[in-house]
Amino acid sequence: MSPAAQRLREAIEAFWRGRGQVELSWLRHGTIEAPRRSAAAFLFSDEGQEALQSSELVSELPPAERSALAEQRALIAAELQGLQARPLLQRLQSAELSVGSQTLSTPQLVAAMLRGESEPTRQLEARSLSDSLDAACSALLDAKSRSDDAFLAQLPKPPELSPLRELAARVLSATDDAAQDLTRRAARSLAASGELSWPTLLAALRRPELDALASPKRRAFRLAEGLRRLGFERDLNQRMRAETAPGLLFPVVRLSVLSVPDDVRVALPVLDYGVTSELCVSESIGRALAAILISPVLPAELRWPLPSCAGAALGSTYAQLRADPLYLRRSEGLSPREAEALARHGALVLLLRVRSEAALLLSAAAPARNDAERLDHLVSNLRRALGVQLAPGLAALLWLGTGPLTQDLAARMCGLGVHVGLRERFDVDWFHNPRASEPLRGACTRGNGLSVEAFCKELDVSMDDGCKRLLELLA
């Protein structure tokens, strides 16, 4: 191996190990550490740039490894920009907000909104939170724009977004009617005026009456049971841990990867969002499993997970089972009535998540001369996706939480398609067949050497099959 290739790999390894520690500190304590610029300095130096383009490297490395090196460099550039937004997020989270005669911290206010109190109280709480986020809207948009610009600046050529943009449009068109019907049914008892607002939708998605079937007690251990049964018990027990995350207010998929494949942490937000939390934690566990299955002998550029790798789809494949009544009956022993109720609400949560990702992708891909135009795209597309008008600051916060150029949708739809492929090979209850673990393990072992799209091709499915699977769950 040439010295240049070795230094590039050492820089990638050092950055992501340091990044894992920064993330762990944020999750545990909500504290900020300085971004590890020094660890990745060689990647962005003139010498590093020359190394990436050198004929020596081109002749030494296969195309997949050269491509992964370039994407790692781009993703690290985006991460360094994104980490600079953490102080802003910390200030928003620690803010004291006035709600009528009370003063509540941001976590207290969000917890109150989840309790689903009266409509006037919800609107008062939502107004206070919206004002806080709207005041930071420009800074949130700027942080995301700088992160995406940094990502694009390091790529050899701009990515082709047309296929994903077309997929996003198809997903929204195919599910518009279902989304409108299901959200209004879910919020029927809460939206007294008939007008659905985002705080009312938030309260409706909480569904505390399902808590007996979706308890936060030992959630990570319980939700990982399906993968243990499939043959991954030793992998999960030895290499995955759950971390309670006071630094997370919202149900998001978040991992702290300290070492690949030996030490992966799954974040558990302190606030309980019920079924929504179930899907997010299930997806995190699926992604964690993908990371701990990666071969330890791979070079750094193939070993540290990229958003485009096949493992990103496994999280989606596992999460969508929370919306499948057959899985809930056979794997968790629920009665048909319990499984149907839990799956129906899980399908709504999954639908809104998919539609949000489609809306965010369309907003990112749309031409915009400035942040104001970008914000208009975000608010408009998210209104269509969710059926509610979001506060501008909340829309900006959702955008900041997406990956570079919102690559989330590709992994989501491929993950849904993977279910179809596994079902064709191993029958409807593939999740009880240990042989189904073989293609999953085989895909994840290759790390970034296999993309989500290539994973689908190996199973003879496509992202359109993922869309069909989504519609199937809604039926």
Side-chain angles (χ1 to χ4, degrees), residues 18-153:
R19 175 69 172 81
Q21 292 292 342
V22 169
E23 187 69 13
L24 188 61
S25 176
W26 169 259
L27 294 176
R28 285 179 171 175
H29 313 296
T31 55
I32 306 296
E33 294 183 18
R36 293 288 301 275
R37 288 187 176 277
S38 60
F42 179 71
L43 287 171
F44 305 106
S45 66
D46 291 341
E47 189 179 358
Q49 179 67 25
E50 291 173 5
L52 278 169
Q53 297 174 349
S54 68
S55 58
E56 182 182 22
L57 197 70
V58 169
S59 63
E60 180 182 0
L61 298 182
E65 291 183 30
R66 294 201 305 273
S67 176
L69 269 176
E71 192 173 347
Q72 287 283 3
R73 188 169 181 260
L75 185 60
I76 289 172
E79 285 286 329
L80 287 169
Q81 287 293 334
L83 284 169
Q84 293 182 30
R86 287 292 173 88
L88 170 62
L89 297 176
Q90 187 179 40
R91 289 196 298 274
L92 289 171
Q93 183 162 316
S94 61
E96 296 288 320
L97 306 176
S98 297
V99 182
S101 59
Q102 301 181 77
T103 299
L104 301 175
S105 68
T106 302
Q108 288 173 331
L109 189 149
V110 174
M113 293 179 68
L114 288 173
R115 288 195 294 270
E117 299 174 2
S118 67
E119 179 73 9
T121 302
R122 278 198 303 273
Q123 295 303 326
L124 194 63
E125 293 163 345
R127 193 174 305 119
S128 180
L129 182 59
S130 296
D131 289 346
S132 175
L133 293 175
D134 287 350
C137 184
S138 294
L140 293 169
L141 290 170
D142 181 63
K144 177 59 174 171
S145 294
R146 284 189 284 107
S147 179
D148 280 355
D149 288 347
F151 182 79
L152 286 170

Side-chain angles (χ1 to χ4, degrees), residues 63-65 67-68 71 290 294-295 298 301-314 411 414 418 425 438-459:
E65 291 183 30
S67 176
E71 192 173 347
I294 293 173
S295 171
L298 290 177
E301 66 270 19
L302 294 182
R303 190 162 29 86
W304 287 91
L306 291 168
S308 58
C309 75
L314 182 54
C414 284
V418 165
R425 290 189 178 198
E438 295 169 7
L440 298 178
R441 188 181 292 274
C444 294
T445 298
R446 286 173 275 175
N448 301 324
L450 186 70
S451 69
V452 289
E453 294 87 353
F455 186 20
C456 280
K457 286 182 181 178
E458 288 191 355
L459 293 174

Side-chain angles (χ1 to χ4, degrees), residues 131-330:
D131 289 346
S132 175
L133 293 175
D134 287 350
C137 184
S138 294
L140 293 169
L141 290 170
D142 181 63
K144 177 59 174 171
S145 294
R146 284 189 284 107
S147 179
D148 280 355
D149 288 347
F151 182 79
L152 286 170
Q154 301 299 332
L155 292 177
K157 61 179 181 180
E160 177 54 61
L161 291 180
S162 295
L164 277 179
R165 190 165 53 231
E166 293 167 3
L167 174 67
R170 291 199 302 274
V171 167
L172 288 175
S173 295
T175 59
D176 273 336
D177 291 342
Q180 183 176 14
D181 180 52
L182 292 173
T183 52
R184 294 204 172 276
R185 285 190 192 183
R188 188 161 40 202
S189 63
L190 297 174
S193 64
E195 181 68 26
L196 187 60
S197 63
W198 73 262
T200 300
L201 178 60
L202 179 67
L205 290 176
R206 175 62 187 84
R207 287 290 296 275
E209 64 271 25
L210 294 176
D211 282 358
L213 306 177
S215 170
K217 186 176 181 181
R218 303 191 74 205
R219 174 171 277 151
F221 183 86
R222 171 174 56 82
L223 292 178
E225 186 57 31
L227 291 174
R228 290 192 189 92
R229 191 181 299 112
L230 203 53
F232 299 113
E233 181 173 13
R234 177 180 295 181
D235 305 284
L236 291 168
N237 290 349
Q238 290 182 350
R239 296 172 174 175
M240 188 193 82
R241 286 172 53 187
E243 291 279 349
T244 301
L248 290 180
L249 279 186
F250 301 105
V252 294
V253 177
R254 186 65 61 85
L255 303 178
S256 177
V257 183
L258 302 179
S259 174
V260 180
D262 298 317
D263 191 352
V264 181
R265 316 291 177 93
V266 171
L268 303 177
V270 172
L271 292 179
D272 182 25
Y273 286 76
V275 173
T276 302
S277 292
E278 296 271 295
L279 266 76
C280 286
V281 173
S282 293
E283 183 170 348
S284 295
I285 291 169
R287 289 199 176 204
L289 175 64
I292 63 183
L293 291 177
I294 293 173
S295 171
V297 303
L298 290 177
E301 66 270 19
L302 294 182
R303 190 162 29 86
W304 287 91
L306 291 168
S308 58
C309 75
L314 182 54
S316 172
T317 303
Y318 194 50
Q320 56 91 38
L321 292 174
R322 309 304 307 173
D324 189 329
L326 177 66
Y327 175 82
L328 295 173
R329 288 200 312 271
R330 295 192 181 180

